[in-house]
Amino acid sequence: MPALQSWGRYPRADHTRVVPVVWRSEPPRLSELPETVLPFACGRSYGDSCLNAGGALLDVSRLNRFMAFDEARGVLRCEAGVTLAEILAVVVPRGWFVPVLPGTKWVSVGGAIANDIHGKNHHRAGTFGAHIACFELLRSTGERILCSPERNAELFCATIGGLGLTGLILWAELRLKRVQGAQISMERIRFSSLDEFLQLSTDDQEYEYTVAWIDCLARGKSLGRGLFLRGDHAAGASRLHHDQGPAISVPLDLPSGLINRATTTLFNTMYYRTQLRTNQRRTLHYEPFFFPLDGIGAWNRLYGQKGFVQYQCVTSGDSAAAIAELLDQVARSSETPALAVLKRFGRIPSPGLLSFPRPGITLAIHFAMRGSTTLALLDRLDQIVAGAGGAIYPAKDARMSGANFRRFFPHWELFAAQIDPKFSSSFWRRVTTA
Ligand SMILES: Cc1cc2nc3c(=O)[nH]c(=O)nc-3n(C[C@H](O)[C@H](O)[C@H](O)COP(=O)(O)OP(=O)(O)OC[C@H]3O[C@@H](n4cnc5c(N)ncnc54)[C@H](O)[C@@H]3O)c2cc1C
């Protein structure tokens, strides 16, 4: 069996063992294991928050049973290893939808809670954790604790966005959202500057979903140009089925240099220019709208053995000045950025003590991992983010400093008091011992 890794394949970690968790009625006796443990689900976190170098991983992928579905109220109870893909396949034909979706459907319910994930509707729906009614948490003592906003509320808030450190979520209850079908009516608008992006995103409340793709290599007058996507669930009967599985798959690691500055510049320019008209509308199935990257299986192998990092930050407030500074630094560097995404977060408070989303503008960019020069650029970006009162997303992170983590997440000590002492991760040791 290949070693479990995170999605960015940087950093690599050696684990002492992988312990399968198969039955919620008979979970492994965690206290009998000599090393620390960390739950691992689909491994769609990019950096080291799902890794536990020198310790054990609890593989929850077989903890994947549906338990109860109240079809009238749209309340689903399932084990924590069930994926959002599996939920969508069951509930969409019944007129329900997952209330918060990330950019891939291959994410588990436990992973979605542990990173308190956000989606294109953050401005309307807040984070995933805001839709969780309750869950059962297994502590290493063998104790099972039912957590909800009313019962064991401190542990509930620590576990949402708690990076898998407060215990093992066995099952959770999720409140779904009513929809009429599987189609999304979408509009794509070309914008030529960050100011135009800001104007477009002030209309966010009129649309359920909004996000922008941005050309992160454009400079000067073109800085901040991109494509703005907004959409709503389409009314009326609609096509339910979508071809399952990726259209193509990357069968092996490609040479690390394949994605380079020249190829990404060409791609970005072509992609921006193919949008010939400033405005395009169409109706499409929800899968290509929410999960465009799922169309290419194992696309993380495009970056080769050295892997890649995703840098996702949020800067506070309504100003895009810090975003402009970040983009300028990126465009001037000799690094290879790709796939940059911009979104304005809304004001709905995140329920978790360590949740990442907060009001402001979030920017996410992939960088091919080239070692010290890549890391040096990202450190410079951190300084801009810190100056703008922002934060870096732990689910994507592999390198932020401990000092910055503690600045970005001021409740970290309150959170630390709720950690199960048997649980640990590479990420947590990195940001708390540095
Ligand atoms: C293409 C792509 C697009 C993405 N888009 C977004 C996005 O739009 N928004 C966003 O917020 N994120 C996004 N992500 C990140 C992803 O949603 C999160 O990293 C998510 O947490 C991954 O879930 P997972 O099931 O793979 O969990 P893993 O990555 O395996 O684990 C994540 C964390 O959850 C913990 N965990 C897992 N299961 C349990 C459990 N049963 N009990 C307790 N802890 C548990 C782990 O210990 C770890 O800390 C994206 C990732 C990819 C690859």
Side-chain angles (χ1 to χ4, degrees):
M1 193 178 85
L4 295 178
Q5 294 174 17
S6 64
W7 192 246
R9 310 207 299 167
Y10 174 86
R12 303 265 173 159
D14 289 324
H15 297 99
T16 51
R17 68 182 101 192
V18 175
V19 181
V21 185
V22 183
W23 302 104
R24 65 178 186 278
S25 53
E26 281 174 49
R29 292 174 199 271
L30 302 179
S31 61
E32 290 173 10
L33 295 171
E35 65 279 81
T36 63
V37 299
L38 182 75
F40 185 98
C42 302
R44 261 30 180 210
S45 300
Y46 284 74
D48 56 359
S49 66
C50 61
L51 303 177
N52 187 21
L57 291 179
L58 306 174
D59 177 359
V60 298
S61 55
R62 286 160 72 193
L63 205 57
N64 60 356
R65 298 166 195 90
F66 286 84
M67 294 163 64
F69 183 32
D70 179 339
E71 207 170 323
R73 290 168 54 235
V75 177
L76 174 76
R77 184 179 286 200
C78 65
E79 290 181 342
V82 170
T83 62
L84 304 186
E86 289 162 335
I87 296 179
L88 287 165
V90 168
V91 304
V92 176
R94 292 170 171 80
W96 293 99
F97 208 69
V98 175
V100 171
L101 285 171
T104 173
K105 62 181 176 176
W106 301 115
V107 161
S108 70
V109 168
I113 295 174
N115 277 319
D116 197 15
I117 62 166
H118 55 270
K120 295 178 177 60
N121 58 349
H122 182 270
H123 56 287
R124 283 242 189 128
T127 60
F128 193 82
H131 305 271
I132 293 294
C134 58
F135 53 77
E136 189 178 40
L137 192 69
L138 174 75
R139 301 281 275 189
S140 60
T141 52
E143 193 185 359
R144 289 154 179 265
I145 306 177
L146 185 69
C147 301
S148 73
E150 294 80 34
R151 293 178 65 174
N152 301 301
E154 283 183 352
L155 209 44
F156 181 78
C157 296
T159 302
I160 293 179
L163 305 169
L165 296 167
T166 59
L168 178 71
I169 302 166
L170 293 171
W171 58 263
E173 206 169 88
L174 173 66
R175 287 186 292 266
L176 301 171
K177 169 189 161 59
R178 257 279 178 230
V179 290
Q180 290 194 26
Q183 305 287 103
I184 300 282
S185 60
M186 180 194 100
E187 204 177 350
R188 199 159 62 165
I189 302 163
R190 190 157 76 168
F191 58 90
S192 56
S193 68
L194 282 177
D195 282 343
E196 276 184 36
F197 162 81
L198 284 182
Q199 266 168 21
L200 284 164
S201 60
T202 47
D203 296 337
D204 270 3
Q205 287 304 336
E206 288 175 36
Y207 300 86
E208 178 76 28
Y209 304 105
T210 63
V211 72
W213 168 85
I214 188 158
D215 179 356
C216 55
L217 288 172
R219 291 171 63 173
K221 276 203 312 204
S222 303
L223 185 104
R225 70 181 182 183
L227 304 173
F228 194 87
L229 263 67
R230 56 194 189 191
D232 282 305
H233 291 276
S238 55
R239 197 168 61 91
L240 281 175
H241 298 291
H242 183 73
D243 295 334
Q244 293 293 312
I248 49 166
S249 223
V250 182
L252 72 174
D253 294 335
L254 296 181
S256 289
L258 193 75
I259 296 189
N260 56 41
R261 195 126 175 137
T263 50
T264 46
T265 306
L266 185 69
F267 172 83
N268 282 4
T269 308
M270 302 263 296
Y271 189 58
Y272 182 74
R273 298 228 166 110
T274 50
Q275 179 77 12
L276 293 175
R277 283 173 286 146
T278 50
N279 199 338
Q280 234 175 42
R281 285 166 202 265
R282 66 187 177 118
T283 301
L284 74 174
H285 192 271
Y286 70 82
E287 293 229 1
F289 178 76
F290 285 103
F291 317 123
L293 287 172
D294 286 350
I296 308 170
W299 60 262
N300 54 347
R301 301 179 95 173
L302 289 169
Y303 285 92
Q305 285 282 344
K306 290 185 187 158
F308 69 106
V309 281
Q310 188 181 103
Y311 188 84
Q312 182 167 0
C313 63
V314 56
T315 59
S316 75
D318 287 338
S319 155
I323 299 289
E325 216 180 323
L326 290 165
L327 289 174
D328 188 54
Q329 282 282 335
V330 170
R332 281 174 196 280
S333 76
S334 56
E335 295 305 309
T336 305
L339 283 176
V341 171
L342 206 56
K343 156 129 194 96
R344 193 198 285 260
F345 278 150
R347 303 204 159 266
I348 300 174
S350 302
L353 275 178
L354 286 193
S355 296
F356 161 73
R358 54 203 78 185
I361 298 169
T362 182
L363 169 70
I365 310 184
H366 288 177
F367 290 93
M369 185 57 195
R370 304 230 183 286
S372 57
T373 59
T374 312
L375 296 172
L377 169 67
L378 302 185
D379 284 347
R380 292 201 296 281
L381 301 186
D382 285 358
Q383 283 176 23
I384 300 171
V385 172
I392 306 291
Y393 190 10
K396 312 278 179 83
D397 181 62
R399 31 65 50 197
M400 82 170 112
S401 72
N404 272 335
F405 171 75
R406 297 188 290 268
R407 176 181 301 149
F408 299 152
F409 297 90
H411 299 311
W412 75 275
E413 282 174 303
L414 267 181
F415 167 76
Q418 302 289 338
I419 292 180
D420 184 314
K422 187 75 183 163
F423 283 62
S424 187
S425 70
S426 299
F427 174 87
W428 189 251
R429 290 188 294 275
R430 176 166 61 78
V431 298
T432 53
T433 53

